[in-house]
Amino acid sequence: MKYLFTHLMGSFIFNEQLKRVDFIPFTQLEDYQHKNQAEEKLRRKHPEAQPLPQDKWMPVMQTFQDRTYFQEFYTKNCELTKQGIKNSVSDDNLITQTIANINELDKVSNLLTKRLREWYSLYLPELSKERSSHEQFVRSVAEKSKPELLKELHLMTTESMGAPLSKNDVEEMQELALLITKLYQVRQQHEVYLEKIMVRHCPNVLELAGVTLGAKLMELGKSLKHLAMLPASTIQLLGAEKALFRHIKTGAKSPKYGILFQHPFIQNARPALRGKAARMLADKLSLCARLDYFKGEFKAKEYKKELEEKINR
Amino acid sequence: MKYLFTHLMGSFIFNEQLKRVDFIPFTQLEDYQHKNQAEEKLRRKHPEAQPLPQDKWMPVMQTFQDRTYFQEFYTKNCELTKQGIKNSVSDDNLITQTIANINELDKVSNLLTKRLREWYSLYLPELSKERSSHEQFVRSVAEKSKPELLKELHLMTTESMGAPLSKNDVEEMQELALLITKLYQVRQQHEVYLEKIMVRHCPNVLELAGVTLGAKLMELGKSLKHLAMLPASTIQLLGAEKALFRHIKTGAKSPKYGILFQHPFIQNARPALRGKAARMLADKLSLCARLDYFKGEFKAKEYKKELEEKINR
């Protein structure tokens, strides 16, 4: 009766008295990763060898209690762990980080634009009301002078309630406006990048949900794998956890959709049909996530058409 | 008996029956601003004229109820209001806006740097720990490649736990880092600008408190005028309102300083002496604010020396 036992340091054959009778040492980390080959070799030499039963592990491990041995074991183990961490970085992580960053940039540019609106109103208060879109307001401030803007607003200089500030003062505001346009630029660039990852990682989800919503689903679902494992009804309510638990706890109305609300398919549906639309969309998204995770075909376009036909009926 | 009455449209003399007997019309807004001159002229012609008593206002106003009259009155009133708003923009407003914006930029760059740290840790997790200063971390990411950074950290490529990401992925992180360095730049520029305003508006406060703290005091005190009117004990506790009201309401310990805590004079004082130091500093700051508001001499340097001598004793 012989036993076969493998760990980081090598592959070993023990006899019944747990004495080492044969072994193949692993000198490199790669050897451990291909440990099957070493085990195969030993098995061919000792065909009667069996895997070491668990109750014999302790005595076997004690034969390795050698100081130099332990040091080497430790080093190899660290290397292996590091490699494991290295390999654990996946497209999922990149998507999650990027979408989190896009959300942050949105928040930040809103904050700064609000400040700019207040500040610039000392100089030309009439502009803020006319440019309700944050982005247009920022661009106007960054690119145009007061006379140009007054003309656009059909105002005479004397009609404006803004103070005649010095060039120095205005430059400071324009500097801030320029900074905010840079924030917009980087946000846009992040979105292009996000799409590139998603095209290779989850083309179906991308096609059906779009860049931002797709990435947010990936963030809420933690990873594509996890998202693919979720039932469609959970996907339907991702992002509505608070409302869901309120429903369970207090019997309030159950939520019909979470983050899916942002999808044009639901936005365009009649209010009475939105719950139904969300259910259908979640169904298809769940299929898409599974197709993507198991590297299936590209079917999102068909699903999209199907959904549109159904909702129009 | 005659009455003198002046409003936007002109200066008028009414007789006892409240019939208009003489008047000087105001054709321009400036005429109203120098209304004393018109009144003086009429008084010389009608030395017996007295200011219109309040109970006769209503009947007098009714004599102006003419449509064309009213239209002109309205237009002039609007113009006057606009001019009032225009002239109300002062250095105080500019300082308050700029310091509020600097605070916002600080908050925003902290938020984004935290995101960058998390994101970049997929690529080179060892860097975040080594660069505890946000600004240094951001600069390292923006300016240096992974091999350069590994060298600085005395690490081999195989030792790092970071994933070998593609150029595309890393560029996106560097783009964010560049954006954050721009935030730092604009913040710095705002500070230079702030100093320029403060040199002309409140040189004494600037000298004694420094740019950021001085501007924050101005923000908390609403304006230089208001700050100059505050008692020193209030200045001492600006920014500690929460603790002060907690003290009043619940009898908790009274606060010793608010935002003044940021001043090096208090930072460097022994903890037991900090309350005393804050009181002395607030005293001098109050004097500085009054000197600045009433365009007094530049005495802040002397005060500074005095304070340093006192605390060293």
Side-chain angles (χ1 to χ4, degrees):
Chain A
M1 192 67 182
K2 282 176 184 168
Y3 300 115
L4 173 68
F5 179 68
T6 305
H7 67 24
L8 266 177
M9 303 295 299
S11 207
F12 306 84
I13 295 287
F14 293 93
N15 64 11
E16 209 134 358
Q17 287 76 44
L18 299 181
K19 279 257 158 74
R20 210 187 304 159
V21 290
D22 198 357
F23 75 104
I24 299 176
F26 296 161
T27 50
Q28 287 175 317
L29 215 54
E30 282 73 42
D31 293 341
Y32 177 68
Q33 280 155 354
H34 307 111
K35 60 183 174 185
N36 284 341
Q37 296 175 4
E39 285 182 349
E40 203 52 48
K41 256 189 212 166
L42 285 177
R43 260 203 212 102
R44 247 178 278 132
K45 273 170 77 182
H46 308 271
E48 72 277 32
Q50 285 189 350
L52 190 71
Q54 227 166 355
D55 60 303
K56 301 228 160 83
W57 275 27
M58 281 305 288
V60 163
M61 286 315 282
Q62 272 162 6
T63 66
F64 291 110
Q65 273 184 342
D66 184 319
R67 264 211 133 207
T68 55
Y69 227 77
F70 180 76
Q71 186 57 40
E72 208 177 325
F73 190 86
Y74 175 79
T75 318
K76 275 197 179 166
N77 217 335
C78 281
E79 251 177 83
L80 202 72
T81 310
K82 277 186 187 173
Q83 214 162 63
I85 293 175
K86 247 185 200 177
N87 295 336
S88 73
V89 173
S90 66
D91 282 346
D92 282 328
N93 296 95
L94 294 175
I95 291 174
T96 311
Q97 288 292 338
T98 314
I99 188 69
N101 200 37
I102 286 179
N103 289 341
E104 200 80 62
L105 283 174
D106 279 345
K107 215 190 297 169
V108 159
S109 58
N110 274 343
L111 273 174
L112 290 179
T113 310
K114 275 185 211 156
R115 280 240 66 80
L116 181 67
R117 276 180 189 273
E118 208 185 310
W119 197 3
Y120 199 75
S121 290
L122 295 177
Y123 184 54
L124 184 54
E126 291 81 4
L127 184 68
S128 185
K129 221 173 139 189
E130 285 294 314
R131 299 275 185 281
S132 54
S133 138
H134 272 3
E135 202 164 339
Q136 275 179 26
F137 175 78
V138 171
R139 274 187 216 294
S140 294
V141 173
E143 290 161 12
K144 284 171 189 160
S145 69
K146 189 167 183 176
E148 285 173 313
L149 287 171
L150 282 170
K151 215 171 179 186
E152 278 182 26
L153 300 171
H154 310 289
L155 279 173
M156 312 259 287
T157 318
T158 50
E159 278 177 307
S160 163
M161 279 188 276
L165 296 179
S166 78
K167 206 176 143 226
N168 250 337
D169 299 323
V170 182
E171 271 173 1
E172 218 61 25
M173 302 174 192
Q174 285 176 330
E175 201 61 45
L176 179 62
L178 259 178
L179 184 70
I180 303 177
T181 59
K182 293 235 171 68
L183 284 169
Y184 288 132
Q185 270 170 28
V186 173
R187 186 215 187 281
Q188 184 118 34
Q189 206 174 314
H190 277 346
E191 214 173 293
V192 173
Y193 165 70
L194 199 53
E195 196 170 345
K196 264 190 221 152
I197 314 179
M198 290 172 77
V199 160
R200 67 166 187 253
H201 188 58
C202 48
N204 282 297
V205 173
L206 173 65
E207 174 70 28
L208 190 56
V211 183
T212 321
L213 179 57
K216 278 184 189 164
L217 282 172
M218 211 71 83
E219 194 190 9
L220 289 169
K222 311 298 175 203
S223 68
L224 180 57
K225 182 180 172 186
H226 193 214
L227 195 68
M229 304 300 168
L230 288 179
S233 57
T234 304
I235 293 182
Q236 186 183 343
L237 295 185
L238 278 178
E241 285 77 6
K242 214 172 143 189
L244 178 65
F245 286 111
R246 189 171 52 225
H247 161 64
I248 294 171
K249 238 175 131 179
T250 71
K253 265 189 178 181
S254 65
K256 298 199 204 72
Y257 28 68
I259 198 149
L260 285 195
F261 182 64
Q262 295 176 7
H263 197 281
F265 180 63
I266 301 202
Q267 295 265 316
N268 298 337
R270 269 185 290 135
L273 285 181
R274 278 186 182 162
K276 212 174 164 186
R279 203 180 63 233
M280 295 195 295
L281 179 62
D283 263 354
K284 295 298 183 202
L285 275 173
S286 162
L287 288 177
C288 283
R290 284 162 208 196
L291 279 172
D292 286 336
Y293 181 64
F294 296 107
K295 304 287 165 214
E297 309 160 60
F298 181 71
K299 279 194 168 174
K301 277 226 165 104
E302 286 168 44
Y303 291 159
K304 220 174 180 178
K305 210 184 271 172
E306 215 176 294
L307 281 175
E308 268 155 26
E309 276 165 18
K310 265 190 193 160
I311 204 76
N312 285 336
R313 234 188 294 137
Chain B
M1 190 64 180
K2 282 178 185 169
Y3 300 115
L4 173 67
F5 179 68
T6 306
H7 68 25
L8 264 178
M9 305 294 300
S11 208
F12 306 85
I13 295 288
F14 293 94
N15 62 13
E16 207 133 1
Q17 287 76 44
L18 298 183
K19 279 256 158 79
R20 210 187 304 160
V21 290
D22 198 358
F23 76 103
I24 300 177
F26 295 160
T27 50
Q28 285 176 319
L29 215 51
E30 281 73 45
D31 293 342
Y32 176 67
Q33 278 155 355
H34 306 112
K35 59 183 175 187
N36 284 343
Q37 297 174 6
E39 285 182 350
E40 202 49 50
K41 257 188 208 164
L42 285 178
R43 261 205 209 97
R44 247 178 276 134
K45 273 169 77 182
H46 309 272
E48 73 278 32
Q50 285 190 351
L52 190 72
Q54 227 168 354
D55 60 304
K56 302 225 160 88
W57 275 28
M58 281 307 286
V60 163
M61 286 314 282
Q62 271 163 8
T63 65
F64 291 109
Q65 273 185 345
D66 185 319
R67 267 213 131 207
T68 55
Y69 228 73
F70 180 77
Q71 186 57 40
E72 210 177 322
F73 190 85
Y74 175 79
T75 319
K76 274 197 182 166
N77 216 335
C78 281
E79 248 177 88
L80 202 72
T81 310
K82 277 186 189 175
Q83 214 161 65
I85 292 175
K86 246 185 201 176
N87 296 336
S88 73
V89 173
S90 66
D91 281 347
D92 282 329
N93 295 94
L94 294 175
I95 291 174
T96 311
Q97 289 290 338
T98 314
I99 188 70
N101 200 35
I102 286 178
N103 289 341
E104 200 79 63
L105 283 175
D106 279 346
K107 215 190 298 168
V108 159
S109 57
N110 272 342
L111 272 175
L112 290 179
T113 311
K114 274 186 211 156
R115 279 240 67 79
L116 182 67
R117 275 181 190 273
E118 207 185 311
W119 198 1
Y120 199 74
S121 289
L122 295 177
Y123 184 51
L124 184 53
E126 290 80 5
L127 185 67
S128 186
K129 224 173 137 187
E130 285 295 315
R131 298 276 185 283
S132 54
S133 139
H134 272 3
E135 202 164 340
Q136 275 178 25
F137 176 78
V138 171
R139 275 188 215 295
S140 294
V141 173
E143 290 161 11
K144 285 172 188 161
S145 68
K146 189 169 182 175
E148 284 172 314
L149 287 171
L150 282 171
K151 216 171 176 183
E152 279 183 27
L153 299 172
H154 309 290
L155 278 174
M156 312 261 286
T157 318
T158 50
E159 277 176 309
S160 163
M161 278 189 277
L165 296 178
S166 79
K167 205 175 143 227
N168 250 334
D169 299 322
V170 182
E171 272 173 1
E172 218 59 27
M173 302 175 192
Q174 285 175 330
E175 201 61 45
L176 179 61
L178 260 177
L179 184 70
I180 303 177
T181 58
K182 294 236 168 66
L183 284 168
Y184 288 132
Q185 270 170 29
V186 173
R187 187 214 187 281
Q188 183 118 31
Q189 207 174 313
H190 278 344
E191 216 174 291
V192 173
Y193 164 69
L194 200 53
E195 194 169 346
K196 265 190 219 154
I197 315 178
M198 289 171 77
V199 161
R200 66 166 189 255
H201 187 57
C202 48
N204 281 299
V205 173
L206 173 65
E207 173 68 30
L208 190 57
V211 181
T212 322
L213 180 57
K216 277 184 189 165
L217 282 171
M218 211 69 87
E219 193 191 9
L220 288 169
K222 311 296 175 207
S223 68
L224 180 57
K225 183 181 171 186
H226 193 214
L227 194 66
M229 303 300 168
L230 288 179
S233 56
T234 305
I235 294 182
Q236 186 183 343
L237 294 185
L238 279 179
E241 285 77 6
K242 218 172 140 189
L244 178 65
F245 286 111
R246 191 175 49 226
H247 161 64
I248 294 172
K249 240 174 129 177
T250 71
K253 266 190 176 180
S254 66
K256 297 200 206 69
Y257 28 68
I259 198 150
L260 286 195
F261 182 64
Q262 294 174 10
H263 197 282
F265 180 64
I266 303 205
Q267 294 267 317
N268 298 336
R270 266 185 292 133
L273 285 180
R274 278 183 183 166
K276 211 173 166 187
R279 203 181 63 234
M280 295 195 295
L281 179 62
D283 264 355
K284 296 298 181 202
L285 274 173
S286 164
L287 288 176
C288 283
R290 282 160 210 196
L291 279 172
D292 287 336
Y293 181 63
F294 296 107
K295 304 284 166 220
E297 310 161 59
F298 182 70
K299 279 196 168 172
K301 276 223 167 108
E302 288 168 42
Y303 291 160
K304 221 175 177 176
K305 213 184 271 173
E306 214 176 294
L307 280 176
E308 267 156 24
E309 276 164 18
K310 265 193 193 160
I311 204 75
N312 285 335
R313 237 186 293 141

